[in-house]
Amino acid sequence: MVELKDFVYELQRYADQTHVLKDKFEKLSEDEKVMVLRNAPENQPTPEEHYKLVFKWLSKVQEAAGVVQKEER
């Protein structure tokens, strides 16, 4: 169970970083966004898509593991 807790902790950190990356991407100009996406690895989702996928994954893992999210204040 310790390994699962560690994984969920790291997945939460990863999800938080995808949120930061998405926010930074959204602040780019349209030309900069095009350049970033053009140079992304093949089949790489956009930062917005990646953010959604990771948070969905995190939510499912937390639900399956019975993890309760702390409420934000």
Side-chain angles (χ1 to χ4, degrees):
M1 189 63 155
V2 171
E3 289 82 10
L4 180 58
K5 281 185 173 182
D6 287 345
F7 179 82
V8 172
Y9 172 77
E10 294 299 337
L11 184 56
Q12 177 67 59
R13 289 184 52 200
Y14 179 58
D16 291 342
Q17 186 59 41
T18 66
H19 187 247
V20 171
L21 188 64
K22 176 190 74 71
D23 288 348
K24 299 296 183 183
F25 181 78
E26 289 172 346
K27 292 179 182 179
L28 297 175
S29 70
E30 289 305 311
D31 288 341
E32 290 169 329
K33 288 178 183 178
V34 168
M35 183 277 297
V36 167
L37 294 176
R38 187 179 304 130
N39 288 287
E42 193 173 321
N43 299 320
Q44 175 69 36
T46 67
E48 293 102 338
E49 294 166 339
H50 191 69
Y51 160 79
K52 290 176 185 175
L53 289 170
V54 171
F55 269 89
K56 187 175 181 179
W57 181 23
L58 174 62
S59 178
K60 286 183 172 187
V61 169
Q62 287 174 329
E63 185 178 323
V67 176
V68 178
Q69 275 290 85
K70 294 180 183 176
E71 291 185 27
E72 293 186 28
R73 296 177 187 213

